[in-house]
Amino acid sequence: YKPIYTSTYNQLDSAIKKNSTALYLQNMLLNSDRLKIGTVFPNIKVTDFKKNEMQLEGLYENNRYIFIDFWFSRCQPCIRQFPLLKKIHRQNMSKGFTVVSIASDQDNEENNLIMGIKQNKFKWTVYWDRNSAITFGQLSITKFPTNFLLNSKGEILLKNVEPEDLEIFLSENLK
């Protein structure tokens, strides 16, 4: 996100802004602005596979850093990062670090998703954003993987950080 995108949008004629494409663009710009570094991550409600719901901000007070990872079961770049993420989680979970995975699979992909979770043997809870209602709808995330590193106040410290860079950040900040 860059402020120039919003200022350019604001210069559009009001008739154009009523167009469905312009309304979609406006929503994308608003969400991009909400998800920039330094802002507080939206308090979304997530659901696990046992249908337990949780407000994301419930993780903030018990952890120094929270890594939120948006992915889906057929995303190869998403899957390739899991071995290193699991190592990073294992090394840092006792120091106040946790991972939250939010899968954006469609309802018809449930079997693939469950199989992917079993194959990857996650040591953290995986939440399912059924049909991408949160991912696409509320947050306008369209690229995978997308991730955010939050502090204990829910502020976004890093966005779309590679696991190698996350490992370096944590080694410098979790002592």
Side-chain angles (χ1 to χ4, degrees):
Y1 174 80
K2 294 182 179 150
I4 193 164
Y5 300 150
T6 300
S7 63
T8 302
Y9 175 84
N10 289 337
Q11 293 178 21
L12 294 175
D13 183 83
S14 61
I16 292 174
K17 290 181 184 177
K18 293 177 184 173
N19 176 298
S20 62
T21 303
L23 292 171
Y24 176 78
L25 176 61
Q26 180 185 35
N27 186 51
M28 295 286 286
L29 289 170
L30 289 171
N31 284 330
S32 293
D33 189 40
R34 287 188 328 154
L35 295 174
K36 66 185 175 191
I37 292 175
T39 61
V40 174
F41 194 84
N43 185 26
I44 57 175
K45 186 187 301 184
V46 292
T47 306
D48 66 17
F49 283 86
K50 296 176 184 171
K51 308 236 188 287
N52 297 316
E53 290 185 344
M54 182 192 76
Q55 294 290 137
L56 200 58
E57 71 180 6
L59 294 171
Y60 300 165
E61 63 190 48
N62 297 325
N63 295 286
R64 290 176 63 192
Y65 298 105
I66 302 98
F67 186 76
I68 302 176
D69 180 45
F70 289 88
W71 68 291
F72 66 95
S73 63
R74 292 186 186 263
C75 171
Q76 291 306 309
C78 301
I79 294 166
R80 276 194 297 272
Q81 71 179 358
F82 291 146
L84 185 50
L85 273 181
K86 289 186 333 189
K87 176 187 166 218
I88 293 167
H89 179 258
R90 184 176 58 253
Q91 291 174 337
N92 294 288
M93 63 186 211
S94 65
K95 300 174 190 171
F97 172 73
T98 194
V99 175
V100 174
S101 287
I102 301 175
S104 299
D105 289 80
Q106 303 299 303
D107 281 338
N108 64 352
E109 296 288 327
E110 182 172 9
N111 290 338
N112 289 333
L113 179 56
I114 291 170
M115 186 180 349
I117 292 169
K118 286 180 183 176
Q119 287 174 343
N120 287 291
K121 300 177 183 168
F122 294 108
K123 300 297 182 192
W124 57 83
T125 305
V126 177
Y127 297 95
W128 186 10
D129 177 19
R130 287 183 171 279
N131 298 313
S132 308
I134 296 168
T135 308
F136 294 147
Q138 292 180 29
L139 303 177
S140 300
I141 293 172
T142 58
K143 173 185 148 305
F144 295 93
T146 289
N147 60 59
F148 302 87
L149 181 66
L150 312 180
N151 64 16
S152 61
K153 296 176 186 172
E155 298 166 331
I156 300 171
L157 302 176
L158 301 171
K159 183 176 178 179
N160 295 324
V161 60
E162 294 294 327
E164 296 83 4
D165 296 327
L166 174 65
E167 189 171 36
I168 291 167
F169 176 90
L170 293 174
S171 71
E172 293 172 353
N173 291 282
L174 281 179
K175 296 179 182 184

